Amino acid sequence: MKTWVKKSIVIMVAFLTFGLITPTHEIWEAFDQNPSNRASIGPASGTSTALAAEPDYSSDEQVHIQEEEIDYNALLMDAAREQSYIKFGTKIGPKISHEFDNIIFPKMEEAIAMTVASLDEQSLASLTISEKPSGNYGEKIFNVINNDTGSDVIRFHVRTEKRPQEGYYYNFHYHSVEDDFMAHYNLGDIYWEKNTPPKWLS
């Protein structure tokens, strides 16, 4: 360190402390002889200690923890809602979304929850929601499928009905594997209007 800088610092410290404290020359010599000391002092050393103190999970344990945190029921419900809105398209969706979200979809969730309630975690993890709802005036919204067997567990449909003097309604219902998809379980109706509704997916 330059001599004039040292002298300036000594004078400032002496002046600020009224002469009670004067820096010793040993401090300056230590810094001059080992400049790497400056790099090792400060928050860097504390940071490495803090990192070392954190628990070190192996990759197998991390994967296991992540698997335990997966909510398969919530994933099914999110996919079910997404496929429903894909089927509705931009012409039907905005007009029926309020009634669908508040009346029909909670009943869909209930039907799915009842169907999967008896399944263990592994069987639940193998369930998926089918993609590609039917277009035109087809009824299929989505199916819940067991990937291990490739078979449907529950099928959700919506039928377009024309009622005399009233107009068009959407009838939401589902079929279950428990009775070989024969029974028709009603979820509710949403009124469209008297004019012919657009095709699905439009």
Side-chain angles (χ1 to χ4, degrees):
M1 203 182 279
K2 290 186 178 181
T3 309
W4 66 272
V5 175
K6 288 183 191 177
K7 287 181 181 177
S8 300
I9 293 173
V10 170
I11 292 167
M12 270 194 335
V13 171
F15 179 74
L16 291 172
T17 60
F18 301 107
L20 297 173
I21 300 173
T22 55
T24 63
H25 293 289
E26 293 171 5
I27 294 171
W28 309 117
E29 288 170 9
F31 273 89
D32 285 340
Q33 289 172 0
N34 191 3
S36 64
N37 282 343
R38 282 173 278 183
S40 64
I41 296 171
S45 58
T47 306
S48 61
T49 308
L51 290 173
E54 289 179 8
D56 183 24
Y57 296 112
S58 71
S59 59
D60 290 341
E61 287 172 334
Q62 286 177 345
V63 169
H64 183 65
I65 289 167
Q66 287 174 353
E67 283 177 357
E68 287 179 349
E69 293 173 355
I70 294 173
D71 186 347
Y72 294 107
N73 242 333
L75 291 174
L76 277 177
M77 302 308 176
D78 288 345
R81 190 173 189 281
E82 182 183 353
Q83 290 304 311
S84 299
Y85 274 92
I86 288 172
K87 180 173 180 71
F88 300 158
T90 56
K91 290 186 178 177
I92 298 173
K95 188 165 179 178
I96 68 168
S97 63
H98 180 73
E99 286 179 271
F100 177 77
D101 289 343
N102 290 292
I103 299 168
I104 306 299
F105 192 68
K107 292 179 182 178
M108 279 185 170
E109 289 180 307
E110 191 179 323
I112 294 171
M114 280 190 330
T115 304
V116 304
S118 59
L119 299 179
D120 58 25
E121 195 74 9
Q122 187 176 352
S123 301
L124 190 59
S126 72
L127 296 180
T128 57
I129 299 289
S130 68
E131 298 180 353
K132 298 181 182 175
S134 62
N136 204 355
Y137 291 107
E139 292 189 15
K140 177 188 169 187
I141 307 174
F142 63 86
N143 300 336
V144 178
I145 304 166
N146 184 328
N147 278 337
D148 292 340
T149 62
S151 58
D152 295 343
V153 176
I154 188 169
R155 298 172 181 166
F156 287 91
H157 292 169
V158 56
R159 183 174 58 229
T160 306
E161 297 179 346
K162 184 178 182 182
R163 300 179 188 171
Q165 311 296 319
E166 294 181 48
Y168 289 91
Y169 284 84
Y170 293 124
N171 171 255
F172 291 85
H173 57 277
Y174 70 93
H175 306 275
S176 174
V177 70
E178 292 176 2
D179 56 20
D180 204 24
F181 306 106
M182 297 301 291
H184 178 114
Y185 299 96
N186 194 43
L187 295 169
D189 298 325
I190 297 179
Y191 178 70
W192 175 253
E193 58 182 50
K194 291 195 174 181
N195 295 326
T196 306
K199 295 176 181 179
W200 299 117
L201 304 179
S202 59

